[in-house]
Amino acid sequence: MSFQTLLFYVFAAILVFAALRVVTARNPVHAVLWLVLAFVTAAAHWLMLKAEFLAIVLVLVYVGAVMVLFLFVVMMLDVNIEKLREGFARNAPLGALIALIVIIELYYAFWVRHLGLDVTGGTAPLPENYSNTAEIGAVLYTEYVYPFQLAAVVLLIAIIAAITLTMRKRPGLKVQDISRQVSVRSRDRV
């Protein structure tokens, strides 16, 4: 067994354990933290596949932004944990069925590989100076520049909406009165 294969199995075990803890954690904050570990481990898998750009995007976008937002929302909301546990027990049969389907699919994939059939078609070797980050950037900023810009605008609107929804009027909050500040005269000040 090569070192890379050993690393794959170690990261896969950590990823499966973290994913199970996401579902079984009693505290929602702990579940989010286990999800962060699962994302970081998945990023390690991307690095092993020589997809550095996807790995860093997974860490920056999901762990750095989305998980921080999830933690913020989970900690801001008053989550009724007893109500969540009732939903877990109610949806357990469906979850078990989906887990069984995934296990059957994995068994089939390993069975086909054990037979020696190459269903992937193989990949061509890449040149020595190949960079998947440069290739993704070239496609993203040439063919998909308008959808990329549209996604940026949608995300900006979502950020503004989230900030607007979370701003509340609190008693004792000091706010600026811009029109009053602009209309002040120098002789009125010390």
Side-chain angles (χ1 to χ4, degrees):
M1 179 184 295
S2 70
F3 181 69
Q4 188 173 3
T5 306
L6 179 68
L7 263 176
F8 170 80
Y9 284 122
V10 168
F11 286 136
I14 294 170
L15 180 60
V16 169
F17 177 73
L20 286 173
R21 290 298 297 148
V22 167
V23 178
T24 59
R26 294 181 183 265
N27 189 337
V29 175
H30 293 166
V32 171
L33 292 174
W34 283 111
L35 191 57
V36 167
L37 177 64
F39 281 151
V40 169
T41 310
H45 277 145
W46 281 113
L47 279 174
M48 290 175 59
L49 290 171
K50 295 183 175 66
E52 300 87 9
F53 179 76
L54 293 176
I56 197 68
V57 165
L58 183 69
V59 169
L60 289 178
V61 172
Y62 285 105
V63 175
V66 175
M67 287 300 108
V68 170
L69 179 67
F70 280 2
L71 272 175
F72 178 73
V73 169
V74 165
M75 294 174 83
M76 289 289 290
L77 295 176
D78 186 22
V79 178
N80 187 356
I81 297 175
E82 294 301 323
K83 186 105 173 152
L84 286 176
R85 288 188 190 143
E86 291 172 7
F88 180 78
R90 186 181 68 225
N91 295 325
L94 177 63
L97 176 68
I98 292 172
L100 180 67
I101 291 170
V102 168
I103 289 170
I104 290 170
E105 288 175 348
L106 286 173
Y107 175 75
Y108 175 72
F110 285 119
W111 178 68
V112 167
R113 188 173 185 195
H114 178 69
L115 290 177
L117 302 174
D118 187 15
V119 294
T120 61
T123 58
L126 299 172
E128 186 66 30
N129 59 353
Y130 178 80
S131 170
N132 64 353
T133 306
E135 291 294 324
I136 289 173
V139 171
L140 189 64
Y141 291 117
T142 56
E143 294 180 36
Y144 297 105
V145 68
Y146 293 122
F148 184 72
Q149 293 296 322
L150 181 65
V153 169
V154 168
L155 287 173
L156 177 65
I157 291 170
I159 290 169
I160 292 170
I163 291 170
T164 305
L165 288 174
T166 56
M167 292 190 71
R168 298 185 182 132
K169 300 272 184 185
R170 294 186 300 251
L173 182 66
K174 294 183 179 181
V175 295
Q176 292 181 335
D177 186 2
I178 305 297
S179 62
R180 194 169 142 217
Q181 289 175 347
V182 171
S183 65
V184 74
R185 292 175 295 192
S186 61
R187 65 177 175 261
D188 295 338
R189 297 288 181 201
V190 176

